[in-house]
Amino acid sequence: MSVLVTGGAGYIGSHTVAELVAHGESVVVLDNLRQGHRAAVLQAPLYVGDIRDTALVSEILRKHEVDTVVHFAAHSLVGESVQKPLDYYDNNVNGTAKLLSAMLENGVKRIVFSSTAAVYGEPVRTPIDEADPTVPTNPYGETKLAIERMFRWCHDAYGLQSVSLRYFNAAGAHPTLAIGEDHSPETHLVPIVLQAALGQRPHVAVFGNDYPTSDGTCIRDYIHVMDLASAHRLAVARLRSGDGGCEAFNLGSGTGYSVQQVIDVAREVTRRDIPVQQAPRRAGDPAVLVASSGRAKEVLGWQPLYNDLATIVASAWNWHQSHPNGYADRTKPEEA
Ligand code: UDP
């Protein structure tokens, strides 16, 4: 019995693979390495390929006796999704439909899905509850929501069991520093702030200082990547217990921090200068996104361990300091 992790060479995927392996799971990874890193997959066989390749997916499911899929493989950049919506529908929605076909053909009926706070769009209240309206404001969130809805129909038609995990803002790295965050291009606030601290960027552009928040910058809910990883492990256990059906859970800390507060905390943690430049608002950014994660705690038994922003930023800083060029710092000497 094994777990197939699609997108397991990516940021959250690779940390989830490490978490599953650390808890005794047999894991196999499928990743096209478009965004993922071969060096991020340390303890599991890696198949380089596409989730839309149903023959390959079927072969993996059978060969590794997969009983549950944890599905990360997706395009995940909000701005890019606005520029290239059809790519997002094809890779995310059509890709998941193909993956599900291969799963169902092989009798695999459990899936844990990497969803997002972007399914909510502009929230109607804070903190956001799972039952709140889902009105995405960009194709990325729209495709993730379409997939969640596909699960509902596949539950009714074929008995598919699913857990969708709606993440807020992931940051941090594995405590061993064997894996961490390395996106190209980097668009996320925490790594960008730390790259500025390292002198790799001249400054951090703060996207908007006229939001209706205490200091005018956007508020987000930052959650450590290992806490996300543990939620996936618990979701796999819930599906195997047979208690699940078709469920969605928010994963956040429940505390919001503004962009300015993140920069201030990073200055304290790194003791470095972090130059800032004001920039226009980024299209599609809601002012405040904070999760209510009570359901994940209650139903999955989830207990986040990294509860404050300074700890999360310190974890990310350890990775960035030891890997200023991301995985390139590890793979090059090994390849040489
Ligand atoms: N942000 C920023 N400058 C950057 C990157 C991000 O001001 O260079 C802001 C962004 O507008 C948002 C917050 O930081 O309010 C978090 O953005 P990120 O892209 O990390 O995550 P998102 O909330 O979009 O998932």
Side-chain angles (χ1 to χ4, degrees), residues 13 73 114 131 180 199 223 262 270:
S114 162
I223 180 83
V262 171
T270 63

Side-chain angles (χ1 to χ4, degrees), residues 11-309:
Y11 173 44
I12 304 171
S14 60
H15 288 75
T16 299
V17 170
E19 171 80 4
L20 290 168
V21 170
H23 284 79
E25 291 285 351
S26 159
V27 177
V28 55
V29 172
L30 171 63
D31 197 299
N32 66 8
L33 297 183
R34 183 181 178 261
Q35 291 291 323
H37 303 271
R38 192 180 287 277
V41 184
L42 299 169
Q43 299 153 303
L46 167 66
Y47 288 81
V48 180
D50 195 294
I51 52 169
R52 290 165 291 195
D53 182 347
T54 42
L56 173 62
V57 173
S58 283
E59 184 197 324
I60 297 169
L61 295 175
R62 283 198 291 266
K63 187 170 169 201
H64 294 271
E65 298 179 359
V66 171
D67 75 307
T68 306
V69 173
V70 181
H71 178 35
F72 293 95
H75 293 337
S76 61
L77 296 177
V78 169
E80 185 185 63
S81 79
V82 177
Q83 304 299 321
K84 300 176 181 172
L86 292 180
D87 282 4
Y88 275 65
Y89 276 85
D90 185 29
N91 192 45
N92 296 1
V93 181
N94 179 36
T96 304
K98 289 267 170 59
L99 173 68
L100 289 181
S101 305
M103 286 170 58
L104 293 167
E105 219 167 83
N106 290 280
V108 180
K109 293 193 175 181
R110 301 184 191 120
I111 188 161
V112 177
F113 176 55
S114 162
S115 191
T116 168
V119 297
Y120 295 109
E122 192 69 50
V124 292
R125 63 173 167 166
T126 296
I128 302 170
D129 187 88
E130 287 86 349
D132 287 351
T134 44
V135 189
T137 51
N138 55 64
Y140 167 63
E142 198 77 70
T143 59
K144 291 282 179 170
L145 184 60
I147 294 164
E148 287 195 15
R149 289 186 170 148
M150 181 157 50
F151 291 155
R152 163 65 58 197
W153 297 113
C154 290
H155 172 264
D156 296 352
Y158 315 118
L160 182 79
Q161 311 281 303
S162 64
V163 171
S164 295
L165 299 174
R166 297 173 176 168
Y167 322 143
F168 284 64
N169 291 66
H174 195 278
T176 61
L177 302 182
I179 49 180
E181 185 166 14
D182 179 359
H183 293 117
S184 182
E186 189 53 77
T187 62
H188 297 108
L189 182 65
V190 170
I192 282 177
V193 165
L194 297 178
Q195 286 171 353
L198 283 170
Q200 294 175 323
R201 290 176 185 265
H203 60 262
V204 178
V206 174
F207 298 148
N209 61 359
D210 56 353
Y211 285 95
T213 60
S214 55
D215 61 24
T217 64
C218 286
I219 291 179
R220 293 289 180 274
D221 181 339
Y222 295 87
I223 180 83
H224 195 279
V225 67
M226 290 311 296
D227 285 331
L228 292 183
S230 71
H232 290 78
R233 173 175 54 77
L234 293 166
V236 169
R238 175 156 178 88
L239 291 177
R240 284 188 180 147
S241 75
D243 290 339
C246 180
E247 300 172 302
F249 299 95
N250 288 341
L251 297 178
S253 71
T255 305
Y257 293 94
S258 71
V259 172
Q260 188 56 54
Q261 284 174 314
V262 171
I263 294 166
D264 291 343
V265 166
R267 285 181 176 138
E268 278 165 33
V269 167
T270 63
R271 296 169 189 276
R272 302 273 180 103
D273 185 30
I274 301 177
V276 160
Q277 213 167 71
Q278 288 307 323
R281 288 184 177 196
R282 190 172 67 176
D285 264 345
V288 181
L289 283 177
V290 178
S292 157
S293 300
R295 273 201 78 226
K297 289 178 184 158
E298 200 179 302
V299 178
L300 298 178
W302 184 55
Q303 288 181 322
L305 300 176
Y306 298 81
N307 279 320
D308 78 322
L309 183 63

